[in-house]
Amino acid sequence: MINMYQTNLPPPPIPPRLGSVKSAPGPGHNKPLLGFLIGMIVLQMLLLLGGFTYLYHKENKYDEDFEHKYLDDMIVLRRLGECEKDSQSMLDCEKLVEKYKNIMEKVSEVEGKAVKLTGGLLSNGAMARMIVKQPVVGALPSSKYLEWNIGHSVLRNVQYFKSSWLKVQQSGDYDIYSQVAFSKWHPKTPLASRVKLRKGETGEEKNLMTAYCSLGDQNRTDVCTAFQGGVFSLEPEDQISVWVTDPSLVNYEEGTTTFGLYKL
């Protein structure tokens, strides 16, 4: 008999089910999305580059404006330190003192505007502007440290300590200045004023700055001014004061003898 159920031919393929075959996306299907992403990246880079360029030019312009506006004031402050070394004539130093007064007036005006804008005193600033206290007529000075009229002085975040000393409450860099006018001549000792610093009430005193002036001789009736100013780093509880050769030789006319500091 012949076996009709055996054959060498392969079986026919199984037909696919309905909906199981999906067409592959064409090569241009993702091009719009890719172009959009590239465009966003390029736009973001351009915006960042433009922002950095704007800030760079704005900062340079601010520096140029600041230097142009305050260059003269900075030169005056730098040259004041040279007066202490006697590298300039007394007349030049007196002119510098007048310019420094104008700078201090500018600072006061800025502070006044800031107070108006904020509605009160600036809480973070520290400053002192002291007016010398008139001595009692006929009374001998108790020490060589000047005393200050607290009723006419201005203090902010600085304490007044034992009639002569200012106690710092905030650490930082301070612009310290003193101006002492002498109207009497001393036969043996130069007319000098010194800004003293001590660490606490019992700390050792040291000289921060020293300034001299000269009336020539006892027949002169002029007034000479010893001015000094500089920037120093201070810590809380640091105390500063002004020492003079002889308080009885000081001119106590209003505005001639002052002392103060500003936190930078």
Side-chain angles (χ1 to χ4, degrees), residues 157-196:
N157 292 326
V158 177
Q159 291 183 350
Y160 187 50
F161 186 72
K162 289 193 174 181
S163 302
S164 298
W165 294 86
L166 297 180
K167 182 190 294 186
V168 175
Q169 296 179 293
Q170 298 179 357
S171 60
D173 295 330
Y174 287 80
D175 179 12
I176 304 174
Y177 71 92
S178 74
Q179 174 182 301
V180 179
F182 293 93
S183 57
K184 296 180 182 179
W185 174 77
H186 196 284
K188 297 181 180 180
T189 307
L191 300 177
S193 70
R194 293 186 174 94
V195 175
K196 297 272 192 175

Side-chain angles (χ1 to χ4, degrees), residues 42-57:
V42 173
L43 178 61
Q44 187 175 13
M45 293 179 64
L46 291 176
L47 290 176
L48 288 175
L49 181 61
F52 282 125
T53 304
Y54 171 77
L55 292 176
Y56 175 78
H57 288 291

Side-chain angles (χ1 to χ4, degrees), residues 23-247:
S23 60
H29 180 74
N30 293 328
K31 283 186 177 180
L33 178 60
L34 183 62
F36 174 76
L37 293 176
I38 294 176
M40 290 297 296
I41 294 174
V42 173
L43 178 61
Q44 187 175 13
M45 293 179 64
L46 291 176
L47 290 176
L48 288 175
L49 181 61
F52 282 125
T53 304
Y54 171 77
L55 292 176
Y56 175 78
H57 288 291
K58 187 174 182 64
E59 182 179 2
N60 286 345
K61 185 177 184 303
Y62 174 81
D63 293 340
E64 292 175 0
D65 294 342
F66 181 85
E67 183 176 356
H68 177 73
K69 186 176 182 180
Y70 297 104
L71 179 61
D72 293 340
D73 296 344
M74 296 170 65
I75 293 175
V76 170
L77 294 175
R78 188 179 298 111
R79 291 177 62 188
L80 280 172
E82 300 177 1
C83 288
E84 184 178 344
K85 302 177 183 179
D86 295 330
S87 60
Q88 303 185 44
S89 66
M90 184 60 65
L91 181 60
D92 291 338
C93 290
E94 291 178 354
K95 292 180 179 179
L96 291 175
V97 170
E98 293 299 324
K99 291 182 179 180
Y100 186 85
K101 290 180 181 179
N102 294 333
I103 295 174
M104 290 298 101
E105 291 178 358
K106 293 179 183 178
V107 173
S108 299
E109 291 177 0
V110 172
E111 288 180 350
K113 292 179 180 179
V115 169
K116 291 181 180 179
L117 291 174
T118 57
L121 293 177
L122 300 176
S123 58
N124 295 329
M127 58 85 65
R129 186 167 55 246
M130 311 304 293
I131 304 299
V132 70
K133 182 179 179 181
Q134 295 284 346
V136 179
V137 178
L140 295 177
S142 58
S143 71
K144 292 189 176 182
Y145 290 93
L146 293 179
E147 297 184 1
W148 308 99
N149 189 334
I150 191 64
H152 292 80
S153 301
V154 178
L155 291 169
R156 184 186 306 153
N157 292 326
V158 177
Q159 291 183 350
Y160 187 50
F161 186 72
K162 289 193 174 181
S163 302
S164 298
W165 294 86
L166 297 180
K167 182 190 294 186
V168 175
Q169 296 179 293
Q170 298 179 357
S171 60
D173 295 330
Y174 287 80
D175 179 12
I176 304 174
Y177 71 92
S178 74
Q179 174 182 301
V180 179
F182 293 93
S183 57
K184 296 180 182 179
W185 174 77
H186 196 284
K188 297 181 180 180
T189 307
L191 300 177
S193 70
R194 293 186 174 94
V195 175
K196 297 272 192 175
L197 168 68
R198 67 184 184 186
K199 300 289 184 178
E201 184 177 355
T202 59
E204 181 182 359
E205 298 178 8
K206 70 175 184 178
N207 296 331
L208 283 184
M209 296 179 287
T210 302
Y212 299 91
C213 72
S214 175
L215 289 172
D217 54 54
Q218 60 182 343
N219 296 323
R220 297 283 296 274
T221 58
D222 297 337
V223 175
C224 70
T225 301
F227 182 89
Q228 52 197 330
V231 176
F232 300 90
S233 296
L234 300 179
E235 299 294 334
E237 304 302 320
D238 283 356
Q239 300 179 15
I240 57 175
S241 186
V242 178
W243 177 98
V244 294
T245 300
D246 187 343

